[in-house]
Amino acid sequence: MQQILDRLFLAHPRTVNESYLEHCAFAFRIGSRLLLAGAAALVHAVVPCLCETTASRIILALNADIVARRAKANQPQAKEPLFGFAEYI
């Protein structure tokens, strides 16, 4: 059971050096911004003078965020301290 839970919830976030909650928050931000971009594109489809660049600006910003996140994930990570708080002592 532990292996199944690990595979479902933890394995993928570990591949990008994130916890489950960090990965969840990032995915939620991406998804909500994509919904906003989609809504703007639909408004623009109906009334072309509205939201002329909104969807493309959101998509370009999303791309920049994802590229930066991938670069950060590919950097070597510092070893975690033995007790999780020793670096503050």
Side-chain angles (χ1 to χ4, degrees):
M1 184 66 164
Q2 182 71 21
Q3 289 177 334
I4 293 170
L5 291 174
D6 182 72
R7 187 174 59 84
L8 288 174
F9 297 104
L10 303 174
H12 173 65
R14 256 195 309 266
T15 65
V16 291
N17 297 316
E18 291 179 338
S19 70
Y20 170 79
L21 291 177
E22 289 170 327
H23 194 72
C24 181
F26 185 80
F28 187 82
R29 279 193 314 271
I30 294 293
S32 60
R33 289 164 74 188
L34 283 170
L35 287 172
L36 183 62
L42 290 172
V43 168
H44 179 71
V46 176
V47 184
C49 69
L50 298 177
C51 303
E52 292 180 21
T53 61
T54 305
S56 59
R57 281 187 293 113
I58 292 170
I59 291 167
L60 289 171
L62 284 171
N63 183 59
D65 290 349
I66 291 169
V67 167
R69 179 175 168 263
R70 284 184 179 165
K72 180 183 171 191
N74 290 331
Q75 291 178 351
Q77 299 294 312
K79 276 186 142 180
E80 286 193 30
L82 184 59
F83 298 107
F85 62 88
E87 73 275 14
Y88 300 111
I89 298 175

